[in-house]
């Protein structure tokens, strides 16, 4: 199955800085969206550190024999460690943190969970949409608030996707402005990922754009 993808971030209409960050792996192996918090520089630094650490871990260990869920969990622990280390060296950023959502694609994995409660609004995190997912269980998704000593919540699930599905990773700057059905309409009606990403960000801005808006759109084609 082929994957196409695009990402876009925008400060929105009211915020003077953009504390979101995203990462698109050139090879389409994994994707990350992070939404930082904790002051002007802190939030930016936290989301950047998290996306970089997750990328570094997954890229370095991609060919290892680690199970995908273990690999993803360790990547997030590495991200948390990176933020804690930075906090230690820069006390001004001591309260910085970030949410993060990531998806990685591996073939022939067992399904881990079908629980969708990981979409925890309470931790101000990105959200993921799957249309009619049925086959090829190989998707792991994880969300977490990073930059705290007690890393007590790392949720991972396996998703089954098939041709025609689109996945969305985003920050809450999108979901605060657009309802899930409206987001789904955008994803279904648009053919190219860059266009879909632009369309979603524009729609969120038209409805207020009160927060930073970040989207990563992934489309699957047989
Ligand atoms: Ca946000």
């Amino acid at each position: 199955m082929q994957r196409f993808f695009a990402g876009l971030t925008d400060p929105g209409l009211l915020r003077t800085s953009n504390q979101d960050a995203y990462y698109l792996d050139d090879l389409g192996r994994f994707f990350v969206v992070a939404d930082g918090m904790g002051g002007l520089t802190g939030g930016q630094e936290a989301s950047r550190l998290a996306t970089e650490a997750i990328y570094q871990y997954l890229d370095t260990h991609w060919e290892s024999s680690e199970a995908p869920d273990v690999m993803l969990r360790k990547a997030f622990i590495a991200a948390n460690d990176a933020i804690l280390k930075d906090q230690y060296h820069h006390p001004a950023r001591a309260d910085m943190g970030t949410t993060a959502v990531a998806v990685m694609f591996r073939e022939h994995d067992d399904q881990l969970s079908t629980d969708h409660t990981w979409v925890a609004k309470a931790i101000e995190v990105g959200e993921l949409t799957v249309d009619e997912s049925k086959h090829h269980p190989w998707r792991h998704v994880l969300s977490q608030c990073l930059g705290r000593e007690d890393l007590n919540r790392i949720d991972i699930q396996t998703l089954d996707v098939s041709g025609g599905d689109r996945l969305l990773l985003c920050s809450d700057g999108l979901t605060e402005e657009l309802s899930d059905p409206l987001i789904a309409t955008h994803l279904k009606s648009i053919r190219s990922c860059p266009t879909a990403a632009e369309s979603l960000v524009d729609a969120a801005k038209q409805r207020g754009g009160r927060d930073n808006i970040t989207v990563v759109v992934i489309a699957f084609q047989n």
Side-chain angles (χ1 to χ4, degrees):
M1 192 162 16
Q2 279 188 292
R3 286 193 293 278
F4 301 90
F5 48 88
L8 188 61
T9 189
D10 191 288
L13 300 177
L14 298 183
R15 301 285 173 91
T16 52
S17 68
N18 191 344
Q19 306 200 349
D20 287 357
Y22 71 95
Y23 182 81
L24 307 178
D25 177 52
D26 288 342
L27 303 175
R29 298 171 298 176
F30 47 81
F31 305 92
V32 187
V33 168
D35 180 344
M37 62 194 82
L40 186 61
T41 58
Q44 286 177 337
E45 194 63 14
S47 59
R48 184 188 69 77
L49 284 166
T51 50
E52 281 187 11
I54 291 167
Y55 154 75
Q56 286 285 355
Y57 190 91
L58 294 179
D59 184 55
T60 306
H61 294 80
W62 195 255
E63 302 296 337
S64 78
S65 57
E66 272 181 0
D69 60 321
V70 174
M71 193 184 300
L72 203 44
R73 190 174 297 277
K74 286 186 175 176
F76 272 65
I77 291 170
N80 196 54
D81 289 346
I83 294 168
L84 291 179
K85 190 175 167 188
D86 190 89
Q87 287 172 344
Y88 179 78
H89 291 293
H90 303 92
R93 298 201 283 260
D95 64 343
M96 72 175 171
T98 186
T99 65
V101 58
V103 59
M104 62 181 273
F105 301 95
R106 299 298 290 258
E107 297 188 49
H108 312 307
D109 293 330
D110 295 323
Q111 187 161 344
L112 296 176
S113 166
T114 55
D115 184 5
H116 284 232
T117 58
W118 67 275
V119 184
K121 303 277 188 188
I123 57 172
E124 197 189 10
V125 75
E127 191 162 339
L128 180 149
T129 308
V130 187
D131 288 334
E132 300 170 355
S133 56
K134 288 293 177 215
H135 304 293
H136 306 298
W138 58 4
R139 324 293 173 214
H140 292 80
V141 178
L142 184 152
S143 70
Q144 171 63 28
C145 183
L146 302 167
R148 301 292 177 263
E149 292 288 351
D150 54 336
L151 189 62
N152 58 6
R153 187 190 167 99
I154 299 180
D155 298 332
I156 299 177
Q157 65 174 299
T158 300
L159 302 172
D160 305 336
V161 300
S162 33
D165 286 349
R166 285 110 190 252
L167 274 177
L168 171 69
L169 306 183
C170 68
S171 62
D172 64 353
L174 185 78
T175 51
E176 288 297 312
E177 309 295 358
L178 304 181
S179 67
D180 286 355
L182 191 53
I183 291 171
T185 302
H186 277 269
L187 289 173
K188 281 177 188 163
S189 63
I190 295 162
R191 293 189 181 177
S192 93
C193 291
T195 311
E198 281 173 32
S199 157
L200 284 166
V201 168
D202 286 348
K205 288 167 77 173
Q206 280 166 17
R207 285 168 182 256
R210 289 165 289 180
D211 196 359
N212 306 147
I213 307 151
T214 301
V215 299
V216 170
V217 177
I218 308 157
F220 303 88
Q221 229 172 63
N222 285 321

